[in-house]
Amino acid sequence: MNAPGETGAAARRVVLITGATSGIGEACARTFRGRGDNLILLGRKLETLRALANELGEDAVHTIALDVRDRAALGVDQRQAASRCRVDKGTALLE
């Protein structure tokens, strides 16, 4: 949740979406980005993720190609995503 009075980049949330390459995941990505949120998109299809990030604005979208059912892959990629985020006044920002 944003602090009262925050606007611009500091007011943006970071939303992590699994299954972002199709269906409900893709629809959620479009909806949250349309509201101005930064996104971390996870999906198995790298080229589809890249195309979606390009369409939604690569400056506010980070993509991670992986299968969330693969626990070993999740450990590495969680750190990768976390390295792109910082907290400013209680709000997580994607850099």
Side-chain angles (χ1 to χ4, degrees), residues 58-90:
E58 292 177 329
D59 60 323
V61 179
H62 180 67
T63 59
I64 302 171
L66 65 86
D67 186 340
V68 296
R69 298 172 294 182
D70 181 350
R71 290 184 182 264
L74 285 175
V76 172
D77 291 310
Q78 285 173 338
R79 287 189 297 276
Q80 179 187 6
S83 72
R84 298 267 327 263
C85 296
R86 67 180 173 85
V87 176
D88 182 20
K89 298 180 184 172

Side-chain angles (χ1 to χ4, degrees), residues 19-65:
T21 56
S22 64
I24 294 170
E26 182 181 353
C28 288
R30 293 178 187 286
T31 298
F32 283 110
R33 185 66 194 117
R35 294 178 182 170
D37 295 319
N38 291 316
L39 306 176
I40 300 172
L41 304 179
L42 282 70
R44 292 178 289 162
K45 303 171 194 168
L46 179 59
E47 291 307 315
T48 305
L49 284 169
R50 286 181 177 161
L52 185 59
N54 184 52
E55 180 183 337
L56 298 178
E58 292 177 329
D59 60 323
V61 179
H62 180 67
T63 59
I64 302 171

